[in-house]
Amino acid sequence: MRTIQTLVAVLLLSMVLVPGGASAQDVPEEPTFANHIAPILYESCVNCHRPGQIAPMSLMTYQEARPWARSIKNKVETRAMPPWHLDRRIGVQEFLNDPSLTDAQIATIAKWVDNGAPQGNPADTPAPPEFAPADAWQIGEPDLVVQFPTYTVPAAGPDLFGNLFTEFGLEEDRYITAIQTRPVGDRARQVVHHALSYAVEEDENGESMGGGTFLVEYASGKQAEVYPEGSGLRLPADSQARLSYHLHSVGEDIDAVVELGINFLPVGAEPEHIRYSKQLGGSQGQTIGVLDIPSGEVARSDGYARFNKAARITMFQPHMHMLGTYQCIEFIYPTQPVRAETVNCAGFDYNWHMNYNYAEDTTPLIPAGTILHVSSWLDNSASNRGNVDPSNWAGDGQRTIDEMAFAWIGWYDLTDEEYEAEVAARQQQRADNDN
Ligand code: HEC
């Protein structure tokens, strides 16, 4: 009981207030591209906004950025760029992969634009960052590379969705420490919009069992997943790799080849913690539940999942389809009186598959018996830009035009002793920080 009260206190403490306006001294009087803007773009934008990447234009040079000045101001002030759809008003705000600009950076950009977007002295421009080749392995030379069958994407046509399969060829179970999806070559990268990889186990008749365990997503600049130190994801012997793809045409026939690169713990080694990543909290407790979204209306779907063991939550990623607009995750603790806490909410846009990796010091720790509650909002009205046909009823299904509503949750189990120790350590750390 004591522990659980402590835990709730720990979580509440992790709610960070959004900082107020930027203080005047952080914003230069006369910001120039060379001295103030280029460093921001190099740090936060050009990983996508450079030739050959997913963004529509390059922001590497003054000449390239200048015509976009007003639009840049607008996109950063509304925090549409860099993309990060987490609701900043609610819950945990510290993440390993938060690309957001500071208020002072946003104010600097706004002032620069309002002053006519001057270049300053070109010689002051810092050297642009160097990037590894776009198809380099970010996880080092992988222990295993598997290639999916080639898919020829025609020059023109509708978006393509489906599955490709290949063998991992493993003789024994192994534990994945890092994994990356890699379209092979510049042209393949242009046609692969988005791809999810799964490990599918077969039953004794060689039939695949369900959709499999989710491994890694390739979307919007995201390719690699490196699991936290001491944790690993089990890849069962004899499982098959499934690639669930979304490909699109780019004006000429392109052979799309996609590879998975994987690093493992040594043969026979088991991780301290097995990392899970599962689809949880679909409506009615299922991934595909009973969604009922009348034409023109906004529907809310609720789903629940019980954690039978204590856990350390590492990642949250909303999943819906075209109609999805917003999702919240809440934990209902096994206490009396019962306590519930909204841990995070995030906006949703089907073109962006954003995952939120919790920072070490504030990642949620939950006791055994905690219930996850996922609420998802789906907007079937004409005001939802993602809605192709507001005159149709929508329900569950596998097609992109059908709906889904669940959260990907990454976690690893803790024993009750490990849980108590982690909570105590965190409290100690907080007390130290306060002194
Ligand atoms: C993760 C990749 C990514 C990052 C990081 C990113 N962008 Fe973008 N940006 C995109 C993509 C893709 C689009 C086009 C689709 C969209 O608007 O969602 C875009 C669109 C834009 C647009 C609108 C272009 C138009 O056609 O009107 C502006 C302006 C922009 N970005 C500026 C920025 C700035 C400034 C930063 C950094 C502070 C930034 N972006 C960071 C990927 C990114």
Side-chain angles (χ1 to χ4, degrees), residues 104-134:
Q105 288 175 316
I106 294 172
T108 302
I109 290 176
K111 194 165 210 180
W112 173 67
V113 174
D114 292 344
N115 288 351
Q119 179 168 21
N121 179 358
D124 291 346
T125 315
E130 285 180 26
F131 292 96

PDB file of all heavy atoms in Angstrom, residues 104-134:
ATOM      1  N   ALA A 104      12.623  30.021 -26.807  1.00  0.00           N
ATOM      2  CA  ALA A 104      13.578  31.042 -27.264  1.00  0.00           C
ATOM      3  C   ALA A 104      13.949  30.824 -28.738  1.00  0.00           C
ATOM      4  O   ALA A 104      14.089  31.785 -29.500  1.00  0.00           O
ATOM      5  CB  ALA A 104      14.832  31.013 -26.394  1.00  0.00           C
ATOM      6  N   GLN A 105      14.092  29.581 -29.153  1.00  0.00           N
ATOM      7  CA  GLN A 105      14.400  29.310 -30.569  1.00  0.00           C
ATOM      8  C   GLN A 105      13.238  29.752 -31.466  1.00  0.00           C
ATOM      9  O   GLN A 105      13.454  30.334 -32.531  1.00  0.00           O
ATOM     10  CB  GLN A 105      14.676  27.814 -30.773  1.00  0.00           C
ATOM     11  CG  GLN A 105      16.015  27.358 -30.194  1.00  0.00           C
ATOM     12  CD  GLN A 105      16.208  25.856 -30.315  1.00  0.00           C
ATOM     13  OE1 GLN A 105      15.287  25.080 -30.047  1.00  0.00           O
ATOM     14  NE2 GLN A 105      17.386  25.442 -30.738  1.00  0.00           N
ATOM     15  N   ILE A 106      12.024  29.479 -31.015  1.00  0.00           N
ATOM     16  CA  ILE A 106      10.850  29.875 -31.811  1.00  0.00           C
ATOM     17  C   ILE A 106      10.782  31.399 -31.909  1.00  0.00           C
ATOM     18  O   ILE A 106      10.575  31.955 -33.003  1.00  0.00           O
ATOM     19  CB  ILE A 106       9.554  29.294 -31.196  1.00  0.00           C
ATOM     20  CG1 ILE A 106       9.583  27.770 -31.306  1.00  0.00           C
ATOM     21  CG2 ILE A 106       8.309  29.877 -31.877  1.00  0.00           C
ATOM     22  CD1 ILE A 106       8.460  27.063 -30.573  1.00  0.00           C
ATOM     23  N   ALA A 107      11.010  32.073 -30.786  1.00  0.00           N
ATOM     24  CA  ALA A 107      10.962  33.541 -30.794  1.00  0.00           C
ATOM     25  C   ALA A 107      12.079  34.112 -31.681  1.00  0.00           C
ATOM     26  O   ALA A 107      11.889  35.129 -32.358  1.00  0.00           O
ATOM     27  CB  ALA A 107      11.079  34.066 -29.371  1.00  0.00           C
ATOM     28  N   THR A 108      13.223  33.458 -31.698  1.00  0.00           N
ATOM     29  CA  THR A 108      14.334  33.908 -32.545  1.00  0.00           C
ATOM     30  C   THR A 108      13.954  33.805 -34.023  1.00  0.00           C
ATOM     31  O   THR A 108      14.187  34.732 -34.813  1.00  0.00           O
ATOM     32  CB  THR A 108      15.602  33.066 -32.253  1.00  0.00           C
ATOM     33  OG1 THR A 108      15.917  33.186 -30.865  1.00  0.00           O
ATOM     34  CG2 THR A 108      16.782  33.519 -33.090  1.00  0.00           C
ATOM     35  N   ILE A 109      13.347  32.690 -34.389  1.00  0.00           N
ATOM     36  CA  ILE A 109      12.923  32.521 -35.787  1.00  0.00           C
ATOM     37  C   ILE A 109      11.871  33.575 -36.147  1.00  0.00           C
ATOM     38  O   ILE A 109      11.940  34.211 -37.203  1.00  0.00           O
ATOM     39  CB  ILE A 109      12.383  31.086 -36.024  1.00  0.00           C
ATOM     40  CG1 ILE A 109      13.554  30.085 -35.957  1.00  0.00           C
ATOM     41  CG2 ILE A 109      11.656  30.983 -37.370  1.00  0.00           C
ATOM     42  CD1 ILE A 109      13.144  28.633 -36.077  1.00  0.00           C
ATOM     43  N   ALA A 110      10.910  33.783 -35.257  1.00  0.00           N
ATOM     44  CA  ALA A 110       9.835  34.741 -35.543  1.00  0.00           C
ATOM     45  C   ALA A 110      10.414  36.145 -35.743  1.00  0.00           C
ATOM     46  O   ALA A 110      10.038  36.863 -36.681  1.00  0.00           O
ATOM     47  CB  ALA A 110       8.813  34.738 -34.407  1.00  0.00           C
ATOM     48  N   LYS A 111      11.352  36.506 -34.889  1.00  0.00           N
ATOM     49  CA  LYS A 111      11.944  37.835 -34.993  1.00  0.00           C
ATOM     50  C   LYS A 111      12.739  37.984 -36.290  1.00  0.00           C
ATOM     51  O   LYS A 111      12.687  39.015 -36.962  1.00  0.00           O
ATOM     52  CB  LYS A 111      12.856  38.089 -33.789  1.00  0.00           C
ATOM     53  CG  LYS A 111      13.262  39.513 -33.618  1.00  0.00           C
ATOM     54  CD  LYS A 111      13.820  39.704 -32.228  1.00  0.00           C
ATOM     55  CE  LYS A 111      13.586  41.099 -31.718  1.00  0.00           C
ATOM     56  NZ  LYS A 111      14.149  41.226 -30.362  1.00  0.00           N
ATOM     57  N   TRP A 112      13.468  36.941 -36.620  1.00  0.00           N
ATOM     58  CA  TRP A 112      14.243  36.940 -37.870  1.00  0.00           C
ATOM     59  C   TRP A 112      13.323  37.178 -39.070  1.00  0.00           C
ATOM     60  O   TRP A 112      13.596  38.013 -39.929  1.00  0.00           O
ATOM     61  CB  TRP A 112      14.980  35.596 -37.992  1.00  0.00           C
ATOM     62  CG  TRP A 112      15.690  35.370 -39.286  1.00  0.00           C
ATOM     63  CD1 TRP A 112      16.775  36.057 -39.749  1.00  0.00           C
ATOM     64  CD2 TRP A 112      15.376  34.392 -40.294  1.00  0.00           C
ATOM     65  NE1 TRP A 112      17.172  35.549 -40.978  1.00  0.00           N
ATOM     66  CE2 TRP A 112      16.328  34.536 -41.327  1.00  0.00           C
ATOM     67  CE3 TRP A 112      14.389  33.400 -40.410  1.00  0.00           C
ATOM     68  CZ2 TRP A 112      16.322  33.732 -42.474  1.00  0.00           C
ATOM     69  CZ3 TRP A 112      14.389  32.595 -41.547  1.00  0.00           C
ATOM     70  CH2 TRP A 112      15.342  32.759 -42.568  1.00  0.00           C
ATOM     71  N   VAL A 113      12.198  36.489 -39.088  1.00  0.00           N
ATOM     72  CA  VAL A 113      11.259  36.630 -40.211  1.00  0.00           C
ATOM     73  C   VAL A 113      10.648  38.035 -40.200  1.00  0.00           C
ATOM     74  O   VAL A 113      10.585  38.705 -41.244  1.00  0.00           O
ATOM     75  CB  VAL A 113      10.178  35.531 -40.160  1.00  0.00           C
ATOM     76  CG1 VAL A 113       9.119  35.757 -41.243  1.00  0.00           C
ATOM     77  CG2 VAL A 113      10.811  34.152 -40.306  1.00  0.00           C
ATOM     78  N   ASP A 114      10.242  38.500 -39.022  1.00  0.00           N
ATOM     79  CA  ASP A 114       9.635  39.835 -38.928  1.00  0.00           C
ATOM     80  C   ASP A 114      10.611  40.937 -39.356  1.00  0.00           C
ATOM     81  O   ASP A 114      10.193  41.975 -39.865  1.00  0.00           O
ATOM     82  CB  ASP A 114       9.152  40.102 -37.500  1.00  0.00           C
ATOM     83  CG  ASP A 114       7.982  39.206 -37.127  1.00  0.00           C
ATOM     84  OD1 ASP A 114       7.365  38.618 -38.055  1.00  0.00           O
ATOM     85  OD2 ASP A 114       7.694  39.060 -35.926  1.00  0.00           O
ATOM     86  N   ASN A 115      11.899  40.689 -39.160  1.00  0.00           N
ATOM     87  CA  ASN A 115      12.916  41.675 -39.567  1.00  0.00           C
ATOM     88  C   ASN A 115      13.303  41.563 -41.038  1.00  0.00           C
ATOM     89  O   ASN A 115      14.294  42.153 -41.463  1.00  0.00           O
ATOM     90  CB  ASN A 115      14.203  41.500 -38.738  1.00  0.00           C
ATOM     91  CG  ASN A 115      14.025  41.965 -37.306  1.00  0.00           C
ATOM     92  OD1 ASN A 115      13.010  42.566 -36.965  1.00  0.00           O
ATOM     93  ND2 ASN A 115      15.016  41.677 -36.474  1.00  0.00           N
ATOM     94  N   GLY A 116      12.594  40.729 -41.794  1.00  0.00           N
ATOM     95  CA  GLY A 116      12.907  40.601 -43.213  1.00  0.00           C
ATOM     96  C   GLY A 116      13.880  39.471 -43.538  1.00  0.00           C
ATOM     97  O   GLY A 116      14.432  39.429 -44.634  1.00  0.00           O
ATOM     98  N   ALA A 117      14.098  38.568 -42.584  1.00  0.00           N
ATOM     99  CA  ALA A 117      14.914  37.361 -42.811  1.00  0.00           C
ATOM    100  C   ALA A 117      16.296  37.669 -43.393  1.00  0.00           C
ATOM    101  O   ALA A 117      16.675  37.140 -44.440  1.00  0.00           O
ATOM    102  CB  ALA A 117      14.147  36.365 -43.690  1.00  0.00           C
ATOM    103  N   PRO A 118      17.091  38.521 -42.712  1.00  0.00           N
ATOM    104  CA  PRO A 118      18.420  38.862 -43.240  1.00  0.00           C
ATOM    105  C   PRO A 118      19.405  37.695 -43.156  1.00  0.00           C
ATOM    106  O   PRO A 118      19.302  36.847 -42.271  1.00  0.00           O
ATOM    107  CB  PRO A 118      18.877  39.992 -42.318  1.00  0.00           C
ATOM    108  CG  PRO A 118      18.138  39.776 -41.040  1.00  0.00           C
ATOM    109  CD  PRO A 118      16.809  39.187 -41.431  1.00  0.00           C
ATOM    110  N   GLN A 119      20.360  37.721 -44.088  1.00  0.00           N
ATOM    111  CA  GLN A 119      21.351  36.642 -44.121  1.00  0.00           C
ATOM    112  C   GLN A 119      22.464  36.853 -43.089  1.00  0.00           C
ATOM    113  O   GLN A 119      22.995  35.891 -42.557  1.00  0.00           O
ATOM    114  CB  GLN A 119      21.981  36.532 -45.508  1.00  0.00           C
ATOM    115  CG  GLN A 119      23.042  35.420 -45.582  1.00  0.00           C
ATOM    116  CD  GLN A 119      23.469  35.086 -46.976  1.00  0.00           C
ATOM    117  OE1 GLN A 119      23.315  35.883 -47.901  1.00  0.00           O
ATOM    118  NE2 GLN A 119      23.999  33.886 -47.163  1.00  0.00           N
ATOM    119  N   GLY A 120      22.862  38.134 -42.857  1.00  0.00           N
ATOM    120  CA  GLY A 120      24.060  38.357 -42.053  1.00  0.00           C
ATOM    121  C   GLY A 120      25.287  38.096 -42.915  1.00  0.00           C
ATOM    122  O   GLY A 120      25.197  38.055 -44.145  1.00  0.00           O
ATOM    123  N   ASN A 121      26.420  37.911 -42.279  1.00  0.00           N
ATOM    124  CA  ASN A 121      27.662  37.672 -43.012  1.00  0.00           C
ATOM    125  C   ASN A 121      27.781  36.188 -43.356  1.00  0.00           C
ATOM    126  O   ASN A 121      27.923  35.352 -42.457  1.00  0.00           O
ATOM    127  CB  ASN A 121      28.851  38.105 -42.149  1.00  0.00           C
ATOM    128  CG  ASN A 121      30.169  37.865 -42.859  1.00  0.00           C
ATOM    129  OD1 ASN A 121      30.203  37.351 -43.981  1.00  0.00           O
ATOM    130  ND2 ASN A 121      31.259  38.242 -42.204  1.00  0.00           N
ATOM    131  N   PRO A 122      27.736  35.871 -44.667  1.00  0.00           N
ATOM    132  CA  PRO A 122      27.749  34.448 -45.056  1.00  0.00           C
ATOM    133  C   PRO A 122      28.923  33.682 -44.435  1.00  0.00           C
ATOM    134  O   PRO A 122      28.794  32.490 -44.147  1.00  0.00           O
ATOM    135  CB  PRO A 122      27.878  34.490 -46.581  1.00  0.00           C
ATOM    136  CG  PRO A 122      27.417  35.839 -46.981  1.00  0.00           C
ATOM    137  CD  PRO A 122      27.681  36.768 -45.822  1.00  0.00           C
ATOM    138  N   ALA A 123      30.039  34.386 -44.207  1.00  0.00           N
ATOM    139  CA  ALA A 123      31.219  33.700 -43.665  1.00  0.00           C
ATOM    140  C   ALA A 123      30.985  33.193 -42.244  1.00  0.00           C
ATOM    141  O   ALA A 123      31.700  32.318 -41.758  1.00  0.00           O
ATOM    142  CB  ALA A 123      32.418  34.646 -43.687  1.00  0.00           C
ATOM    143  N   ASP A 124      29.970  33.760 -41.556  1.00  0.00           N
ATOM    144  CA  ASP A 124      29.689  33.311 -40.190  1.00  0.00           C
ATOM    145  C   ASP A 124      28.862  32.018 -40.138  1.00  0.00           C
ATOM    146  O   ASP A 124      28.659  31.456 -39.061  1.00  0.00           O
ATOM    147  CB  ASP A 124      28.886  34.392 -39.431  1.00  0.00           C
ATOM    148  CG  ASP A 124      29.729  35.624 -39.161  1.00  0.00           C
ATOM    149  OD1 ASP A 124      30.966  35.533 -39.309  1.00  0.00           O
ATOM    150  OD2 ASP A 124      29.139  36.671 -38.811  1.00  0.00           O
ATOM    151  N   THR A 125      28.327  31.597 -41.291  1.00  0.00           N
ATOM    152  CA  THR A 125      27.463  30.411 -41.298  1.00  0.00           C
ATOM    153  C   THR A 125      28.266  29.192 -40.851  1.00  0.00           C
ATOM    154  O   THR A 125      29.344  28.934 -41.375  1.00  0.00           O
ATOM    155  CB  THR A 125      26.911  30.150 -42.723  1.00  0.00           C
ATOM    156  OG1 THR A 125      26.468  31.392 -43.271  1.00  0.00           O
ATOM    157  CG2 THR A 125      25.758  29.160 -42.699  1.00  0.00           C
ATOM    158  N   PRO A 126      27.760  28.445 -39.877  1.00  0.00           N
ATOM    159  CA  PRO A 126      28.512  27.246 -39.451  1.00  0.00           C
ATOM    160  C   PRO A 126      28.532  26.187 -40.558  1.00  0.00           C
ATOM    161  O   PRO A 126      27.697  26.237 -41.475  1.00  0.00           O
ATOM    162  CB  PRO A 126      27.717  26.740 -38.238  1.00  0.00           C
ATOM    163  CG  PRO A 126      26.372  27.372 -38.321  1.00  0.00           C
ATOM    164  CD  PRO A 126      26.515  28.627 -39.125  1.00  0.00           C
ATOM    165  N   ALA A 127      29.478  25.284 -40.457  1.00  0.00           N
ATOM    166  CA  ALA A 127      29.527  24.185 -41.439  1.00  0.00           C
ATOM    167  C   ALA A 127      28.270  23.345 -41.277  1.00  0.00           C
ATOM    168  O   ALA A 127      27.840  23.072 -40.150  1.00  0.00           O
ATOM    169  CB  ALA A 127      30.760  23.330 -41.194  1.00  0.00           C
ATOM    170  N   PRO A 128      27.650  22.960 -42.388  1.00  0.00           N
ATOM    171  CA  PRO A 128      26.451  22.118 -42.261  1.00  0.00           C
ATOM    172  C   PRO A 128      26.817  20.759 -41.663  1.00  0.00           C
ATOM    173  O   PRO A 128      27.951  20.307 -41.800  1.00  0.00           O
ATOM    174  CB  PRO A 128      25.959  21.974 -43.700  1.00  0.00           C
ATOM    175  CG  PRO A 128      27.072  22.387 -44.573  1.00  0.00           C
ATOM    176  CD  PRO A 128      28.002  23.243 -43.778  1.00  0.00           C
ATOM    177  N   PRO A 129      25.865  20.127 -40.989  1.00  0.00           N
ATOM    178  CA  PRO A 129      26.173  18.822 -40.389  1.00  0.00           C
ATOM    179  C   PRO A 129      26.463  17.787 -41.470  1.00  0.00           C
ATOM    180  O   PRO A 129      25.991  17.909 -42.602  1.00  0.00           O
ATOM    181  CB  PRO A 129      24.886  18.459 -39.646  1.00  0.00           C
ATOM    182  CG  PRO A 129      23.820  19.304 -40.248  1.00  0.00           C
ATOM    183  CD  PRO A 129      24.476  20.529 -40.789  1.00  0.00           C
ATOM    184  N   GLU A 130      27.267  16.809 -41.123  1.00  0.00           N
ATOM    185  CA  GLU A 130      27.529  15.721 -42.075  1.00  0.00           C
ATOM    186  C   GLU A 130      26.621  14.563 -41.712  1.00  0.00           C
ATOM    187  O   GLU A 130      26.454  14.239 -40.547  1.00  0.00           O
ATOM    188  CB  GLU A 130      28.990  15.298 -41.989  1.00  0.00           C
ATOM    189  CG  GLU A 130      29.896  16.310 -42.658  1.00  0.00           C
ATOM    190  CD  GLU A 130      31.363  15.910 -42.580  1.00  0.00           C
ATOM    191  OE1 GLU A 130      31.637  14.696 -42.472  1.00  0.00           O
ATOM    192  OE2 GLU A 130      32.198  16.817 -42.615  1.00  0.00           O
ATOM    193  N   PHE A 131      26.057  13.971 -42.732  1.00  0.00           N
ATOM    194  CA  PHE A 131      25.152  12.855 -42.500  1.00  0.00           C
ATOM    195  C   PHE A 131      25.752  11.584 -43.067  1.00  0.00           C
ATOM    196  O   PHE A 131      26.402  11.607 -44.110  1.00  0.00           O
ATOM    197  CB  PHE A 131      23.802  13.117 -43.166  1.00  0.00           C
ATOM    198  CG  PHE A 131      23.048  14.238 -42.514  1.00  0.00           C
ATOM    199  CD1 PHE A 131      23.112  15.533 -43.020  1.00  0.00           C
ATOM    200  CD2 PHE A 131      22.284  13.996 -41.380  1.00  0.00           C
ATOM    201  CE1 PHE A 131      22.423  16.568 -42.401  1.00  0.00           C
ATOM    202  CE2 PHE A 131      21.598  15.032 -40.769  1.00  0.00           C
ATOM    203  CZ  PHE A 131      21.665  16.313 -41.277  1.00  0.00           C
ATOM    204  N   ALA A 132      25.504  10.505 -42.368  1.00  0.00           N
ATOM    205  CA  ALA A 132      25.889   9.199 -42.913  1.00  0.00           C
ATOM    206  C   ALA A 132      25.082   8.994 -44.184  1.00  0.00           C
ATOM    207  O   ALA A 132      23.984   9.542 -44.316  1.00  0.00           O
ATOM    208  CB  ALA A 132      25.580   8.103 -41.903  1.00  0.00           C
ATOM    209  N   PRO A 133      25.577   8.206 -45.145  1.00  0.00           N
ATOM    210  CA  PRO A 133      24.778   7.942 -46.337  1.00  0.00           C
ATOM    211  C   PRO A 133      23.390   7.449 -45.921  1.00  0.00           C
ATOM    212  O   PRO A 133      23.256   6.763 -44.901  1.00  0.00           O
ATOM    213  CB  PRO A 133      25.549   6.825 -47.046  1.00  0.00           C
ATOM    214  CG  PRO A 133      26.913   6.830 -46.448  1.00  0.00           C
ATOM    215  CD  PRO A 133      26.819   7.462 -45.096  1.00  0.00           C
ATOM    216  N   ALA A 134      22.371   7.849 -46.710  1.00  0.00           N
ATOM    217  CA  ALA A 134      20.992   7.604 -46.289  1.00  0.00           C
ATOM    218  C   ALA A 134      20.707   6.133 -46.026  1.00  0.00           C
ATOM    219  O   ALA A 134      19.830   5.813 -45.235  1.00  0.00           O
ATOM    220  CB  ALA A 134      20.035   8.144 -47.342  1.00  0.00           C
TER     221      ALA A 134
END
